[in-house]
Amino acid sequence: GAVVSQHPSRVICKSGTSVKIECRSLDFQATTMFWYRQFPKQSLMLMATSNEGSKATYEQGVEKDKFLINHASLTLSTLTVTSAHPEDSSFYICSARGPTGLLGYTFGSGTRLTVV
Amino acid sequence: GENVEQHPSTLSVQEGDSAVIKCTYSDSASNYFPWYKQELGKRPQLIIDIRSNVGEKKDQRIAVTLNKTAKHFSLHITETQPEDSAVYFCAAFNQAGTALIFGKGTTLSVSS
Protein backbone atom coordinates (compact mmCIF):
# COMPACT_ATOMS: atom_id res chain seq x y z
CA GLY A 1 0.00 0.00 0.00
CA ALA A 2 0.83 3.74 0.06
CA VAL A 3 1.98 4.02 -3.55
CA VAL A 4 2.72 7.40 -5.09
CA SER A 5 2.93 7.65 -8.86
CA GLN A 6 4.72 10.53 -10.60
CA HIS A 7 4.72 11.45 -14.28
CA PRO A 8 6.56 12.04 -16.46
CA SER A 9 9.76 10.35 -15.35
CA ARG A 10 11.85 12.38 -17.76
CA VAL A 11 11.16 15.50 -19.75
CA ILE A 12 13.25 17.72 -21.95
CA CYS A 13 11.86 21.12 -22.77
CA LYS A 14 13.00 24.28 -24.47
CA SER A 15 13.87 27.36 -22.51
CA GLY A 16 10.83 29.54 -21.98
CA THR A 17 8.27 26.76 -22.11
CA SER A 18 6.24 25.30 -19.24
CA VAL A 19 6.25 21.77 -17.94
CA LYS A 20 3.63 20.05 -15.80
CA ILE A 21 4.49 17.23 -13.45
CA GLU A 22 1.79 15.05 -11.89
CA CYS A 23 1.86 13.30 -8.54
CA ARG A 24 -0.85 10.80 -7.68
CA SER A 25 -1.55 8.77 -4.59
CA LEU A 26 -2.80 5.47 -6.00
CA ASP A 27 -4.29 3.62 -3.08
CA PHE A 28 -4.89 6.26 -0.47
CA GLN A 29 -6.09 9.82 -0.15
CA ALA A 30 -3.45 12.43 0.45
CA THR A 31 -4.74 15.78 1.66
CA THR A 32 -1.17 16.98 1.79
CA MET A 33 1.64 16.37 -0.67
CA PHE A 34 5.13 17.77 -0.77
CA TRP A 35 7.33 18.82 -3.63
CA TYR A 36 11.09 18.54 -3.42
CA ARG A 37 13.90 19.42 -5.79
CA GLN A 38 17.18 17.55 -5.85
CA PHE A 39 20.25 18.75 -7.72
CA PRO A 40 22.95 16.20 -8.60
CA LYS A 41 24.70 14.78 -5.56
CA GLN A 42 22.73 17.05 -3.26
CA SER A 43 19.96 16.62 -0.75
CA LEU A 44 16.23 16.91 -1.24
CA MET A 45 15.18 20.49 -0.77
CA LEU A 46 11.59 21.13 0.17
CA MET A 47 9.98 23.51 -2.30
CA ALA A 48 6.38 23.60 -1.15
CA THR A 49 3.60 21.88 0.69
CA SER A 50 0.56 21.19 -1.43
CA ASN A 51 -2.80 21.22 0.35
CA GLU A 52 -5.94 19.82 -1.20
CA GLY A 53 -8.46 22.53 -1.86
CA SER A 54 -6.28 25.41 -0.74
CA LYS A 55 -3.17 27.33 -1.71
CA ALA A 56 0.22 25.72 -1.48
CA THR A 57 2.71 26.83 1.13
CA TYR A 58 6.06 27.70 -0.40
CA GLU A 59 9.43 27.56 1.28
CA GLN A 60 11.53 30.67 1.50
CA GLY A 61 13.27 31.44 -1.75
CA VAL A 62 10.90 29.42 -3.94
CA GLU A 63 9.02 31.55 -6.46
CA LYS A 64 5.35 30.68 -6.30
CA ASP A 65 4.64 32.32 -9.63
CA LYS A 66 7.26 30.17 -11.29
CA PHE A 67 6.41 26.89 -9.63
CA LEU A 68 2.65 26.61 -9.77
CA ILE A 69 1.10 23.97 -7.57
CA ASN A 70 -2.44 22.70 -7.87
CA HIS A 71 -3.96 20.13 -5.56
CA ALA A 72 -7.48 19.84 -6.90
CA SER A 73 -8.32 16.39 -5.58
CA LEU A 74 -7.39 14.09 -2.74
CA THR A 75 -5.21 11.99 -5.01
CA LEU A 76 -3.58 14.44 -7.39
CA SER A 77 -1.14 17.31 -7.05
CA THR A 78 0.55 18.98 -10.00
CA LEU A 79 3.66 21.11 -10.23
CA THR A 80 4.03 23.36 -13.25
CA VAL A 81 7.41 24.87 -13.94
CA THR A 82 6.62 28.01 -15.90
CA SER A 83 8.99 29.76 -18.29
CA ALA A 84 11.62 27.15 -17.60
CA HIS A 85 15.30 28.02 -17.80
CA PRO A 86 18.38 25.78 -17.83
CA GLU A 87 18.96 26.45 -14.13
CA ASP A 88 15.59 24.81 -13.42
CA SER A 89 17.00 21.53 -14.67
CA SER A 90 16.80 19.18 -11.73
CA PHE A 91 15.19 16.08 -10.27
CA TYR A 92 11.74 16.96 -8.96
CA ILE A 93 10.15 14.53 -6.59
CA CYS A 94 6.87 14.53 -4.75
CA SER A 95 5.90 12.79 -1.58
CA ALA A 96 2.75 12.14 0.37
CA ARG A 97 2.05 11.20 3.90
CA GLY A 98 0.74 7.67 4.11
CA PRO A 99 -2.73 6.66 5.21
CA THR A 100 -3.96 7.70 8.61
CA GLY A 101 -1.84 6.29 11.40
CA LEU A 102 1.33 5.92 9.38
CA LEU A 103 4.04 8.52 9.79
CA GLY A 104 6.17 7.35 6.90
CA TYR A 105 6.20 9.53 3.85
CA THR A 106 6.12 7.81 0.48
CA PHE A 107 7.92 9.28 -2.50
CA GLY A 108 7.00 9.35 -6.13
CA SER A 109 9.52 8.05 -8.64
CA GLY A 110 10.72 11.54 -9.52
CA THR A 111 10.91 13.59 -12.70
CA ARG A 112 14.20 14.43 -14.35
CA LEU A 113 13.69 17.84 -15.98
CA THR A 114 16.21 19.07 -18.51
CA VAL A 115 15.76 22.53 -19.95
CA VAL A 116 17.71 23.20 -23.11
CA GLY B 1 13.11 26.53 11.23
CA GLU B 2 14.30 22.97 11.54
CA ASN B 3 17.91 22.31 10.61
CA VAL B 4 19.22 18.80 10.11
CA GLU B 5 22.96 18.18 10.03
CA GLN B 6 24.30 14.86 8.78
CA HIS B 7 27.79 13.35 9.02
CA PRO B 8 29.82 12.03 7.38
CA SER B 9 29.16 13.07 3.80
CA THR B 10 30.97 10.00 2.50
CA LEU B 11 31.73 6.68 4.15
CA SER B 12 33.70 3.78 2.75
CA VAL B 13 33.74 0.40 4.49
CA GLN B 14 34.75 -3.14 3.74
CA GLU B 15 32.07 -5.75 3.32
CA GLY B 16 31.13 -7.15 6.70
CA ASP B 17 32.10 -4.04 8.63
CA SER B 18 29.63 -1.80 10.41
CA ALA B 19 28.65 1.67 9.25
CA VAL B 20 27.34 4.51 11.40
CA ILE B 21 25.80 7.72 10.16
CA LYS B 22 24.89 10.51 12.55
CA CYS B 23 22.41 13.35 12.40
CA THR B 24 21.55 16.25 14.65
CA TYR B 25 18.41 18.34 14.57
CA SER B 26 17.56 21.73 15.96
CA ASP B 27 13.84 21.68 16.81
CA SER B 28 13.34 20.03 20.19
CA ALA B 29 9.66 19.51 19.34
CA SER B 30 10.52 17.08 16.54
CA ASN B 31 9.13 13.64 17.33
CA TYR B 32 9.71 11.51 14.25
CA PHE B 33 13.01 10.61 12.62
CA PRO B 34 13.13 8.52 9.45
CA TRP B 35 16.07 7.28 7.44
CA TYR B 36 15.90 6.93 3.67
CA LYS B 37 18.09 5.07 1.21
CA GLN B 38 18.40 6.42 -2.31
CA GLU B 39 20.04 4.59 -5.14
CA LEU B 40 21.25 6.51 -8.16
CA GLY B 41 18.39 7.97 -10.18
CA LYS B 42 15.73 6.43 -7.98
CA ARG B 43 13.32 7.61 -5.34
CA PRO B 44 14.26 7.60 -1.65
CA GLN B 45 13.04 4.51 0.15
CA LEU B 46 12.20 4.51 3.84
CA ILE B 47 14.40 1.94 5.57
CA ILE B 48 13.74 2.60 9.22
CA ASP B 49 12.22 5.25 11.44
CA ILE B 50 11.95 6.05 15.11
CA ARG B 51 9.56 8.03 17.21
CA SER B 52 10.62 10.19 20.09
CA ASN B 53 9.15 7.91 22.74
CA VAL B 54 11.78 5.20 22.16
CA GLY B 55 15.55 5.26 22.23
CA GLU B 56 16.36 2.49 19.81
CA LYS B 57 14.77 0.45 17.08
CA LYS B 58 16.16 -2.50 15.15
CA ASP B 59 15.25 -4.21 11.93
CA GLN B 60 17.60 -7.04 11.08
CA ARG B 61 20.96 -5.44 10.17
CA ILE B 62 19.70 -1.89 10.56
CA ALA B 63 19.18 0.01 13.78
CA VAL B 64 18.46 3.59 14.71
CA THR B 65 19.22 5.21 18.04
CA LEU B 66 17.82 8.47 19.32
CA ASN B 67 19.10 10.80 22.02
CA LYS B 68 16.45 13.46 22.54
CA THR B 69 18.44 15.34 25.13
CA ALA B 70 21.34 15.82 22.78
CA LYS B 71 19.04 16.08 19.75
CA HIS B 72 20.84 13.53 17.69
CA PHE B 73 20.03 10.21 16.10
CA SER B 74 22.12 7.66 14.32
CA LEU B 75 21.78 4.91 11.74
CA HIS B 76 23.73 1.73 12.32
CA ILE B 77 24.21 -0.87 9.62
CA THR B 78 25.94 -4.09 10.63
CA GLU B 79 27.49 -6.75 8.41
CA THR B 80 27.46 -4.40 5.46
CA GLN B 81 27.03 -5.79 1.97
CA PRO B 82 27.83 -4.26 -1.44
CA GLU B 83 24.10 -3.76 -2.06
CA ASP B 84 24.03 -1.40 0.93
CA SER B 85 25.99 1.06 -1.19
CA ALA B 86 23.76 4.10 -1.73
CA VAL B 87 23.08 7.57 -0.43
CA TYR B 88 21.42 7.66 2.98
CA PHE B 89 19.39 10.59 4.21
CA CYS B 90 18.13 11.35 7.68
CA ALA B 91 15.16 13.63 8.18
CA ALA B 92 13.10 15.39 10.79
CA PHE B 93 9.89 17.37 10.69
CA ASN B 94 9.89 21.07 9.94
CA GLN B 95 8.74 23.53 12.55
CA ALA B 96 5.13 23.23 11.44
CA GLY B 97 5.36 19.49 12.00
CA THR B 98 4.20 18.69 8.49
CA ALA B 99 7.00 18.32 5.97
CA LEU B 100 10.23 16.38 6.29
CA ILE B 101 13.50 18.29 6.21
CA PHE B 102 16.44 16.21 5.02
CA GLY B 103 20.07 16.08 5.93
CA LYS B 104 22.61 16.50 3.17
CA GLY B 105 23.09 12.79 2.74
CA THR B 106 25.84 10.26 3.23
CA THR B 107 27.26 8.32 0.32
CA LEU B 108 28.03 4.85 1.62
CA SER B 109 30.35 2.65 -0.39
CA VAL B 110 30.78 -0.98 0.59
CA SER B 111 33.63 -2.73 -1.12
CA SER B 112 33.92 -6.49 -1.36
Side-chain angles (χ1 to χ4, degrees), chain A residues 14-82:
Chain A
K14 290 185 177 180
S15 215
T17 62
S18 295
V19 173
K20 180 185 284 188
I21 303 169
E22 292 188 349
C23 181
R24 294 180 186 272
S25 55
L26 296 186
D27 50 1
F28 66 100
Q29 293 182 335
T31 56
T32 304
M33 292 186 179
F34 308 92
W35 287 96
Y36 291 84
R37 179 167 53 182
Q38 187 178 31
F39 291 110
K41 297 187 179 182
Q42 294 190 22
S43 187
L44 295 95
M45 300 303 296
L46 179 66
M47 298 176 67
T49 301
S50 169
N51 302 296
E52 187 269 334
S54 64
K55 290 183 179 180
T57 304
Y58 290 83
E59 295 300 298
Q60 194 171 14
V62 178
E63 300 174 59
K64 58 183 177 183
D65 294 330
K66 180 171 183 61
F67 299 99
L68 301 179
I69 291 172
N70 184 282
H71 195 152
S73 78
L74 287 171
T75 59
L76 174 64
S77 175
T78 61
L79 168 68
T80 301
V81 182
T82 63

Side-chain angles (χ1 to χ4, degrees), chain B residues 64-101:
Chain B
V64 56
T65 58
L66 171 65
N67 183 326
K68 283 222 70 176
T69 303
K71 291 191 282 188
H72 67 68
F73 57 111
S74 301
L75 176 70
H76 304 253
I77 306 175
T78 58
E79 300 173 34
T80 55
Q81 300 167 3
E83 48 266 39
D84 294 330
S85 297
V87 181
Y88 291 82
F89 293 98
C90 61
F93 276 129
N94 63 353
Q95 204 163 33
T98 53
L100 287 175
I101 302 301

Side-chain angles (χ1 to χ4, degrees), chain A residues 4 34 36 38 42-44 46 93 101 103-105 107-109, chain B residues 32 36 38 43-44 46 51 89 93 98-104:
Chain A
V4 175
F34 308 92
Y36 291 84
Q38 187 178 31
Q42 294 190 22
S43 187
L44 295 95
L46 179 66
I93 189 164
L103 284 174
Y105 285 57
F107 283 88
S109 53
Chain B
Y32 174 68
Y36 286 84
Q38 186 180 31
R43 77 185 83 190
L46 178 69
R51 303 186 191 192
F89 293 98
F93 276 129
T98 53
L100 287 175
I101 302 301
F102 287 83
K104 291 190 174 181

